[in-house]
Amino acid sequence: MLKEKLPKEKVLRDPIHNFIHVEDPIILDLINTPEFQRLRRVKQLGITSSVFHGAEHSRFGHSVGVYELARRITERFEQYYSDVWDPKERLLTLVAALLHDIGHGAFSHTFEHLFHTDHEAMTREIITGDTEIHRVLAQVSPDFPNKVASVIAKTYENPQVVQLISSQIDVDRMDYLLRDAYFTGTKYGEFDIDRILRTMQPTPDGIAFDIAGMHAVEDYIVSRYQMYLQVYFHPVSRGMEVLLEHLLQRAQELYRSNTTSEFAENDFVGPLLAPLFSDKKLTLSEYLKLDDNVFMTYINIWQSHSDPILSDLSQRFMGRRPLKSMEITDGTAPLLEELEQLVDNAGFNPRFYTARNNAYDLPYDDYKPNVAKPRTQIDFLLADGSHRELSDMSTLVAAIKGKASIDQRFFFPKEMLNIEPDELFADTFKKFRSFIRNNALTTPNPES
């Protein structure tokens, strides 16, 4: 299985890498498993398409893109660095790259936050559990599934393989930045991928880069920083995520309270969501049946539910009416409880119509062995054979090293800004509007 090749190479056309080359039977078999095909029904960027309408791409496309980058890198390592790179690690690297996101749930990180799941843990369970994925992997060797899972867990003995799959500059990040930039129509995530791959080298301690590629890596770091600020942290996308999270919370509450006859009459939850909304841990089989399409179908049904909160939140979500937001600062944080009370007085339950939401990312950090989860720093090889860390050589990266990007927001119904003065609770709304406008903290939606 390690040496066998397909009689004829298979290719997948891809807008980012042009061609995805498949020459190993195991890779083709893995792609054709139902667990991997499920990724076609999970969007890469969740509900970001509500702001950047082109962002309809899936975890499937991203996963095969990550595989393709790993294939190109290992091919080059075998050609130029055979004294440092073990060719026996090739297949493991390709498989780990292909399967790194196999455990992602519907709506990605929103799902994880709400239902307390961990996509990396689910990825390892799919790889080692009773799945078609596991059966394909076991054809290589009985311990091969566990080896793949150990790469995902970052416990595999070879740091070269682990860092290619998960580090501050890995095949996962490089693909999603280019892919997300392309499909969102933005330019922030673009960088010179060919230059980076050409200067990447295996070392006994992991992965490093030739000094000639420093500016390309520097551009990658800045591109990632900008994508988080401009795309991933977009306040309107987060306003839609808050709606999604709250309507699912409301549905779960109703299911657990069992106070409505609609459970029996209208299949309010049904067999797919019932295990998720119960107190029991999801089985692997139950988890794999959930995708974006399942949730969108139920949210569509819930628009006509008898519960006014669930119905309204579902209508807002399906009709793209996100909650508005204001930035939380040291000056405004003490006022949030009063704002929540104003929302309550206006007739909106603050549990479901307000939220305090934090978006966080650390664009780059050097190695700190004393922290709980130290990051693998980006190292460069100099002509004399010595190593130097990226921020020691780049003043640009040094300026953002260790500085977290944090965007804290308070979300509320748009009606708090738009209601006419002569309507009910006019004084409350005017007070709310005055506060928002005086602080100039609302963020408009550039695509509305």
Side-chain angles (χ1 to χ4, degrees), residues 246-247 249-250 253 309 313 323 349-354:
H246 285 186
L247 73 87
Q249 285 177 336
R250 184 60 174 175
E253 272 190 12
I309 293 178
L313 292 175
L323 297 179
N349 186 328
R351 285 187 55 222
F352 297 104
Y353 288 90
T354 68

Side-chain angles (χ1 to χ4, degrees), residues 24 61 108 112 137 152 172 209 246 265 331 364 367 375 392:
D24 298 276
S108 299
E112 290 188 64
L137 295 177
I152 304 299
D172 176 27
F209 297 83
H246 285 186
E265 295 176 4
Y364 178 72
Y367 178 69
R375 292 190 170 201
D392 284 344

